Every structure is written in C-alpha cells, then in structure tokens.
Amino acid sequence: MTPALLASTLLLFVTFSYASLCAASPFGNCRKCRGMGHATQTDRKGRTKRGKDCRRCKATGKRIRVGRHLYNVAARLHRDGTR
C-alpha cells in the first residue's frame, strides 16, 4: 500500500467512526465540569463539597457533540430550503 492510500483509508475510517458515534450518542460529557453539572470545591478542612452550577452546560453535565451540531445545522438548512 502506498502511504497516500493508507492515509486516506485511515481518514475515512476515523470520519465514519466519529459519524457513527454522533448518531449513536449525540451528547457527550461537558468538558468544563466533566459531566458532573457543577464545580467541586474544598472547604477549610479539605473535604470536597458541591460548588456552583456549570454555566456552560446549565447544570445538566451534557453537551452536544460538534459533529451532531453540524448535522443539525445542515438538516435545518435543507428542511428550510425545501419548504
């Protein structure tokens, strides 16, 4: 196999696997709060306690994946253009 063919095959494999991940699970964990929905803080004794709600995910702990967001934008554009 030539390196160009191997690289394009690998790129197609990664693209299709990410597309299938976005189709199967459109939401992933929030990167800021790591899926908890809030920040963790420590008190003066060193024990962890619940902090403020995460503003990025609005305390849900989930975010929409980039690929799914792009698919939603394209589907909305197609739907609005064919009405």
Side-chain angles (χ1 to χ4, degrees):
M1 276 183 113
T2 63
L5 182 62
L6 183 64
S8 62
T9 305
L10 183 64
L11 184 64
L12 281 173
F13 176 73
V14 169
T15 302
F16 286 132
S17 61
Y18 183 70
S20 64
L21 176 69
C22 288
S25 175
F27 295 100
N29 288 337
C30 177
R31 291 184 296 265
K32 186 174 183 182
C33 64
R34 296 186 185 105
M36 293 184 64
H38 56 84
T40 55
Q41 295 178 343
T42 56
D43 59 2
R44 288 192 267 172
K45 293 182 181 180
R47 293 181 296 208
T48 59
K49 64 177 190 170
R50 181 185 166 101
K52 291 183 178 180
D53 287 343
C54 179
R55 294 187 312 175
R56 182 180 289 177
C57 64
K58 298 181 179 81
T60 61
K62 296 294 179 183
R63 63 166 177 86
I64 193 159
R65 294 187 194 273
V66 175
R68 185 61 183 210
H69 177 72
L70 292 175
Y71 173 76
N72 289 347
V73 168
R76 189 177 308 121
L77 182 66
H78 176 73
R79 185 176 57 243
D80 290 344
T82 57
R83 281 188 188 176

